[in-house]
Amino acid sequence: MNILVIGSGAREHAMARAFARSEKKPALFCCGSTRNPGILALTQAYWCGNICHPDSVLQQAQAWQIDLAIVGPEAPLQQGIVDVLEAAGIATVGPKQALARIETSKSFARSLLQKYQISGSPAFQTFDSLDGVKAYLNQLGEGRYVIKADGLMGGKGVRVAGDHLHSVQEAYQFCQALNAHQLPFLIEEKLMGQEFSMLCLTDGETVVPMPLVQDHKRAFVQDQGPNTGGMGSYSDQNHSLPFLTSSDVLSAYKMTQAVLSALCEECGEPYKGILYGSFMATKSGVQLIEYNARFGDPEAMNLLSILESDFSVLCQALAAGKLARERIFFKPLATVCKYAVPFGYPDQPLKNRSLDVSRVENPEQLYFASVEQSGDQLLALGSRAVAVVGIAPNLVEAERLAEKEIAQIQGQLFHREDIGKADFIHRRIHMMKQLRQKQTIV
Amino acid sequence: MCGIVGIFNHQPVAEALFDSLVHLQHRGQDAAGILTCQNRFYVKNGLGLVRDIFDKEDVLALRGRLGIAHTRYPTAGGNTLAEVQPIWIGSPRGIALAHNGNLTNHHELISELVMNQHRHLDSTTDSEVLLHLLAEGLDKSPVPEGDGRQYFEKLCEVVQHLYHRVKGSFSVVSLIMGKGLLVFRDPHGIRPLVWGERVHQDGTKDYIFASETTMFYALGFVPKGDVQHGEVVFVNLKGEFFRQSVRQQTFHPCIFEYVYFARPDATLDDVSVYRARARMGENLAGLWKKKYPHIQPDVVIPAPFTSNTAALAMARALGVAYSEGLYKNPFIGRTFIMSEGKDRAQQVRYKLTPQRIEIQNKKVLIVDDSIVRGTTSREIVKMVREHDAQEVYFASASPPIVGPCFYGIDIPSRDDLIAAHQSEASIKHYLNVDALIYQTLDDLVEAVTRRGAHCIEKPCMACMDGCYLSDSPSIQEDKLQTEEVI
């Protein structure tokens, strides 16, 4: 079996590894935008080019006689890569263009939930001009709004009151900037609580949640600094998260099931792939932040590193719409993933600086992202460079492992020491407890 | 609320299951399903009344000697096939199940199952939880060969484990492909579950397990009593019968079965529902004489049909005439009006016709099984007054309903319960009656437990006395749950 991985980050490295573990011994191929040395080592052939150009990817896939493809990042989904590959008879894990709008268009996603009366969305309005923007910002109130560009912005299209926007005036200026670029946008009520990610494998009918993960978007310790693609993430040995109740988990799962059947009805065909819900546990229950149409990065490293079932078998079943037949197992272990990123990341990162990972003790849990091999040295290209995953029976031990490994990486890089640390997690549990108590008193 | 039945037969079983459902129709008119087993599962289900769902061909197509069936009580917004039982899964082995009751920790269990087992579950219902817990139990550890004593012991172990995890009420009939019919009842025995047998001339036996005994006579089954609380029963393909109690907690059968839900000709936990209702009427008469010694009604009229028996006994004890002065069309079934959400008051007028000749110029005592929201009772009183009754009195065969039910009876949330917020005096005023009595808690328990070789320590009557089982969810959570359940 020939399997094609589309994308070349640490997420795709984790996918390639999961395929490489398969008893089916598939031959692996990759279409990426950079030459990821980790993926390179696992693949028979590697094409580096514009993966947002579906026809070029299809050409490669056909040349390699690909049986099964999986799409890592969102951008190719938006370009309809799944439509093109499937039309050519290549089974693909990932939603078609119309279905991927659940991620690629924020307004489509919110309207879908509204139309199908799926509860759990914050208040929102969409704008394609500046009319009414000020009034709506004032209606939500100072410090209680979020502005999202309506389209893929690589995580940079979101500004949150208090974190990035310090007054209605600043918020309005951001809207003006978006409007000047003719970008439509949404203004939403800001949610207070704890974020968590529920990623589900789905063929549109069968919906199987993977262990819950908490990602950390902000660049610096204590959740300070600008938003990034994600500095690291953790998952617990019981596959839930310590600050969540069973009702929270159930609400998120219910919402995802409802959204999948709404998508199927709206688009006339089932959503096949990974549906990644980003949720906020708030004092009044679980609210949806957004859906993504693919694996999260870094979440993919947490999840695939403890997946026990054969990933290639699962992907085949999923693409064939037969996921119901498969039993899906994850090891009952905690994971902590940490990214090492170049100094200056994300705003003014150092580029093309060398790094050395040779002292990492367990290279099996080292994942390459924005790095390339140049002669005998590795270069960090400027975005998130490498990730490590610590896996252990409990979070404390998993964090210790991850921290120990990431400290072995030499280069002009930094990482967040706090991710997965006990006191950091305890603060989150405490915060949720306080939020929920307030609710009871009211 | 629902009705369930499971039959081990020596002949094709589908027809007997169909007949059983007709005799369980009063336990649910919203949807029904039959599932039989012969190498594979055969399933037919649908929305509406049993007779509307199945035609002869449907029943004949359901092959096999073993089967289970279910009638579903209407649930809010549940007018879909998605939650119709029996439900089944094909792997790791074929297991099918039908369930009557309500799990109070299903949030927790669904979360556990989807997060730890990474299974797909219909998140809107609690029935799949039981199915998956059974499957998980049979999946996990090595299962003995065959279907004899050793296999039964394994089943006991699996169900015992389930008893420890699942809270709430559940009477379950289940089929295990290639093995047999598995039946169990929750450790408190909240929902009923009876069984019977039919002996053939060659000595072989058929077995039936059902919510009520109502179909036994018609099908030639002899009642053999109840599946005990916390008991596991298994009939394998050879017809070998095994039973064992694996986890008994205090026995708390639901008292509302006797008050309202069960068919009067049923015997549950060795108590005749008919006799229990008659004794409720007697006790009501005793209380009436004490409370209103100077008021003698001219006629006792039941709010049909559930309160007929109590009204008849009450009339007899008071020495006054019993009259069907409110006539209910027996063919009314479930009206379209009900699903369209017109108010309950209008529904009453659609179902009941007052007979002027039985009412005019009389002092009328209306007997109903209970007063829940108060809206139906009030409308009935209004109808009787419109037909020129001289005075109108009202008697409730059950005490004031003050709390929601978390164990499967469709009682609304506390906010809608009139007795949860109003005194007897103000309810009397609201109903616009000249006298009102409620059965006392003690009299009701006495009426149900006076006779029979039952071992009812205390029936579950949490909706009346507020004593919920210790493993009930907190009031906070309850609000959430009732909103979803009802």
Side-chain angles (χ1 to χ4, degrees):
Chain A
M1 182 169 53
N2 291 349
I3 296 180
L4 171 63
V5 175
I6 299 165
S8 49
R11 164 180 51 206
E12 290 76 17
H13 189 190
M15 291 178 183
R17 277 212 172 116
F19 285 127
R21 288 200 304 266
S22 168
E23 284 181 9
K24 306 261 166 192
K25 305 275 172 233
L28 298 182
F29 299 83
C30 178
C31 288
S33 42
T34 61
R35 293 183 80 76
N36 181 316
I39 302 176
L40 206 55
L42 296 168
T43 46
Q44 310 239 322
Y46 197 113
W47 174 83
C48 198
N50 182 2
I51 56 170
C52 288
H53 194 263
D55 290 331
S56 313
V57 175
L58 174 64
Q59 218 178 340
Q60 284 305 318
Q62 285 176 324
W64 291 331
Q65 296 183 305
I66 294 299
D67 302 296
L68 177 74
I70 184 166
V71 188
E74 60 275 22
L77 294 171
Q78 190 180 24
Q79 298 307 317
I81 196 159
V82 179
D83 307 57
V84 170
L85 291 173
E86 291 215 322
I90 298 171
T92 307
V93 175
K96 290 190 177 171
Q97 192 173 33
L99 291 153
R101 283 181 298 165
I102 193 70
E103 168 168 11
T104 60
S105 166
K106 305 284 175 238
S107 61
F108 171 82
R110 289 287 183 221
S111 311
L112 184 86
L113 268 80
Q114 203 168 41
K115 179 175 171 186
Y116 289 87
Q117 299 178 324
I118 301 167
S119 61
S121 290
F124 77 100
Q125 268 186 28
T126 53
F127 296 90
D128 50 16
S129 76
L130 293 168
D131 294 345
V133 165
K134 270 192 181 156
Y136 194 59
L137 287 170
N138 286 319
Q139 185 193 323
L140 290 174
E142 188 55 87
R144 305 186 63 173
Y145 45 80
V146 178
I147 299 167
K148 293 182 175 176
D150 188 11
L152 293 186
M153 301 285 284
K156 295 176 181 67
V158 179
R159 292 283 194 285
V160 180
D163 296 347
H164 316 99
L165 303 167
H166 300 95
S167 66
V168 168
Q169 189 53 36
E170 265 186 60
Y172 188 71
Q173 281 164 4
F174 180 61
C175 294
Q176 277 179 315
L178 291 172
N179 191 50
H181 289 91
Q182 290 176 336
L183 283 166
F185 56 91
L186 284 80
I187 302 178
E188 296 180 356
E189 169 198 0
K190 181 184 173 183
L191 300 171
M192 295 296 293
Q194 280 300 325
E195 282 189 51
F196 65 97
S197 306
M198 178 186 274
L199 286 83
C200 292
L201 291 162
T202 179
D203 57 10
E205 252 191 50
T206 298
V207 187
V208 180
M210 295 185 265
L212 301 181
V213 185
Q214 189 174 40
D215 184 20
H216 298 73
K217 288 282 181 213
R218 308 292 286 275
F220 310 131
V221 287
Q222 304 297 342
D223 288 328
Q224 300 298 308
N227 269 1
T228 69
M231 293 295 289
S233 48
Y234 67 90
S235 71
D236 206 351
Q237 116 287 335
N238 67 358
H239 299 173
S240 184
L241 289 166
F243 50 84
L244 293 178
T245 66
S246 55
S247 293
D248 293 335
V249 176
L250 187 58
S251 304
Y253 182 53
K254 262 186 183 171
M255 204 189 301
T256 301
Q257 284 192 337
V259 162
L260 281 165
S261 68
L263 272 172
C264 188
E265 195 165 331
E266 192 68 16
C267 302
E269 59 183 325
Y271 179 108
K272 289 184 197 171
I274 287 89
L275 185 61
Y276 158 3
S278 175
F279 297 97
M280 184 82 82
T282 74
K283 64 176 179 184
S284 49
V286 167
Q287 302 262 306
L288 175 69
I289 300 169
E290 63 184 7
Y291 274 109
N292 295 312
R294 32 90 196 168
F295 264 113
D297 183 347
E299 288 93 334
M301 280 81 88
N302 298 90
L303 298 172
L304 294 173
S305 65
I306 54 167
L307 175 68
E308 273 191 296
S309 309
D310 191 317
F311 191 47
S312 66
V313 172
L314 288 184
C315 287
Q316 267 188 312
L318 188 154
K322 290 174 180 165
L323 196 58
R325 289 189 190 170
E326 300 302 323
R327 281 306 315 274
I328 300 169
F329 297 98
F330 288 87
K331 292 177 193 156
L333 296 170
T335 66
V336 172
C337 176
K338 298 195 185 205
Y339 255 117
V341 303
F343 287 138
Y345 175 82
D347 295 331
Q348 286 158 327
L350 299 176
K351 291 183 178 173
N352 300 315
R353 302 300 169 96
S354 71
L355 73 156
D356 178 6
V357 297
S358 59
R359 285 163 64 182
V360 168
E361 275 179 34
N362 179 9
E364 275 305 299
Q365 292 306 332
L366 173 70
Y367 297 86
F368 291 101
S370 178
V371 292
E372 281 193 344
Q373 191 80 32
S374 172
D376 59 354
Q377 58 174 328
L378 277 176
L379 294 182
L381 303 178
S383 197
R384 293 177 293 176
V386 290
V388 297
V389 179
I391 304 168
N394 59 65
L395 269 171
V396 173
E397 186 58 17
E399 194 279 336
R400 205 188 55 77
L401 270 174
E403 192 58 40
K404 194 180 108 198
E405 289 286 60
I406 205 161
Q408 301 296 325
I409 297 169
Q410 312 292 305
Q412 289 167 298
L413 305 164
F414 74 96
H415 71 275
R416 275 185 62 170
E417 289 94 353
D418 56 351
I419 293 171
K421 278 235 161 71
D423 61 335
F424 193 59
I425 291 170
H426 279 138
R427 272 207 294 281
R428 301 195 154 178
I429 298 170
H430 183 67
M431 178 222 182
M432 270 326 288
K433 214 180 245 173
Q434 282 196 318
L435 266 183
R436 291 188 217 272
Q437 269 166 1
K438 273 184 207 156
Q439 166 72 358
T440 329
I441 294 160
V442 174
Chain B
M1 278 317 301
C2 302
I4 56 169
V5 57
I7 299 177
F8 170 89
N9 217 356
H10 283 83
Q11 300 298 317
V13 74
E15 203 181 327
L17 289 168
F18 171 81
D19 292 336
S20 298
L21 286 184
V22 173
H23 282 280
L24 289 173
Q25 185 78 80
H26 59 287
R27 295 185 73 87
Q29 296 98 57
D30 188 46
I34 298 177
L35 180 146
T36 62
C37 180
Q38 178 177 300
N39 302 321
R40 69 172 183 90
F41 291 136
Y42 294 82
V43 193
K44 167 72 187 171
N45 55 38
L47 296 173
L49 296 175
V50 173
R51 287 197 185 283
D52 298 334
I53 297 166
F54 304 93
D55 60 28
K56 198 177 163 194
E57 281 69 37
D58 293 330
V59 175
L60 288 175
L62 299 166
R63 302 172 65 172
R65 301 184 294 113
L66 270 70
I68 56 178
H70 184 266
T71 60
R72 184 179 78 182
Y73 199 79
T75 49
N79 208 0
T80 70
L81 278 172
E83 295 170 42
V84 173
Q85 297 186 41
I87 50 172
W88 60 277
I89 47 172
S91 67
R93 72 195 64 235
I95 302 178
L97 167 155
H99 144 241
N100 172 210
N102 189 49
L103 312 188
T104 54
N105 64 338
H106 71 278
H107 278 180
E108 213 176 289
L109 293 169
I110 294 177
S111 301
E112 260 175 47
L113 279 165
V114 296
M115 290 323 305
N116 300 346
Q117 304 288 320
H118 304 286
R119 284 181 185 272
H120 171 97
L121 246 78
D122 178 351
S123 55
T124 56
T125 153
D126 56 1
S127 304
E128 279 197 9
V129 169
L130 291 168
L131 184 64
H132 283 283
L133 286 176
L134 263 189
E136 182 198 42
L138 289 170
D139 194 13
K140 240 188 197 164
S141 41
V143 174
E145 292 287 307
D147 56 6
R149 169 63 57 181
Q150 266 190 317
Y151 184 73
F152 174 65
E153 275 163 16
K154 176 70 196 176
L155 288 177
C156 288
E157 199 182 293
V158 169
V159 177
Q160 188 172 36
H161 186 61
L162 184 147
Y163 282 157
H164 279 100
R165 289 177 71 181
V166 179
K167 294 174 185 171
S169 64
F170 47 99
S171 286
V172 174
V173 289
S174 167
L175 282 182
I176 304 169
M177 183 95 72
K179 299 289 186 182
L181 179 62
L182 168 70
V183 179
F184 53 94
R185 188 176 179 195
D186 71 74
H188 290 293
I190 300 171
R191 301 262 67 89
L193 189 58
V194 295
W195 71 281
E197 64 183 30
R198 182 165 65 184
V199 186
H200 297 285
Q201 282 186 333
D202 61 1
T204 56
K205 289 176 181 172
D206 297 337
Y207 296 99
I208 187 167
F209 303 86
S211 297
E212 298 180 22
T213 51
T214 43
M215 73 296 286
F216 283 19
Y217 181 76
L219 296 176
F221 282 98
V222 177
K224 299 292 285 182
D226 304 84
V227 174
Q228 299 301 309
H229 53 119
E231 190 178 33
V232 182
V233 183
F234 177 63
V235 183
N236 68 16
L237 295 180
K238 295 191 277 290
E240 290 172 320
F241 184 98
F242 303 91
R243 64 187 295 185
Q244 190 175 327
S245 173
V246 301
R247 184 172 199 244
Q248 282 202 344
Q249 291 176 283
T250 22
F251 187 34
H252 291 305
C254 167
I255 206 157
F256 219 68
E257 290 279 351
Y258 299 99
V259 170
Y260 166 77
F261 207 67
R263 218 169 76 174
D265 58 326
T267 298
L268 307 176
D269 296 308
D270 207 47
V271 173
S272 151
V273 175
Y274 185 84
R275 285 302 182 92
R277 286 186 191 163
R279 293 189 290 259
M280 286 173 212
E282 284 168 26
N283 290 354
L284 266 179
L287 185 67
W288 181 271
K289 284 184 198 160
K290 240 185 270 168
K291 201 170 170 191
Y292 302 109
H294 308 300
I295 304 180
Q296 178 78 346
D298 297 320
V299 63
V300 174
I301 295 179
F305 293 122
T306 33
S307 55
N308 287 17
T309 315
L312 183 62
M314 187 176 183
R316 201 179 281 159
L318 288 175
V320 299
Y322 166 85
S323 158
E324 292 179 17
L326 291 161
Y327 193 73
K328 183 178 181 180
N329 176 356
F331 303 105
I332 204 84
R334 192 173 171 217
T335 61
F336 291 109
I337 289 170
M338 228 165 138
S339 50
E340 280 165 14
K342 293 202 185 166
D343 66 39
R344 304 181 79 85
Q346 273 173 294
Q347 291 174 29
V348 180
R349 286 176 186 262
Y350 191 72
K351 284 183 183 171
L352 302 183
T353 311
Q355 306 199 64
R356 179 170 290 278
I357 197 165
E358 295 295 310
I359 294 170
Q360 198 164 20
N361 296 325
K362 288 184 175 154
K363 289 186 260 180
V364 175
L365 170 58
I366 301 165
V367 178
D368 205 350
D369 49 74
S370 57
I371 302 169
V372 180
R373 294 177 178 82
T375 44
T376 305
S377 310
R378 181 171 133 120
E379 194 63 17
I380 289 174
V381 172
K382 211 168 145 199
M383 286 156 67
V384 171
R385 287 208 184 274
E386 283 165 9
H387 289 76
D388 300 319
Q390 197 181 27
E391 293 202 331
V392 183
Y393 320 120
F394 205 100
S396 164
S398 70
I401 305 293
V402 294
C405 176
F406 306 117
Y407 312 111
I409 293 277
D410 188 17
I411 291 176
S413 68
R414 207 175 297 270
D415 294 347
D416 293 335
L417 296 172
I418 187 166
H421 306 286
Q422 297 194 29
S423 66
E424 207 170 306
S426 73
I427 295 170
K428 176 176 167 259
H429 181 73
Y430 173 82
L431 297 181
N432 189 23
V433 290
D434 303 295
L436 169 68
I437 58 164
Y438 276 108
Q439 187 91 263
T440 67
L441 290 164
D442 288 345
D443 280 352
L444 178 62
V445 174
E446 193 280 334
V448 171
T449 58
R450 192 188 300 172
R451 292 289 168 83
H454 59 77
C455 47
I456 301 173
E457 292 165 41
K458 181 188 177 296
C460 175
M461 50 199 310
C463 56
M464 303 165 190
D465 66 3
C467 296
Y468 292 93
L469 299 182
S470 55
D471 59 6
S472 295
S474 70
I475 297 298
Q476 273 287 329
E477 257 179 89
D478 280 359
K479 257 193 120 175
L480 281 174
Q481 294 218 348
T482 31
E483 275 160 24
E484 275 172 38
V485 171
I486 289 157

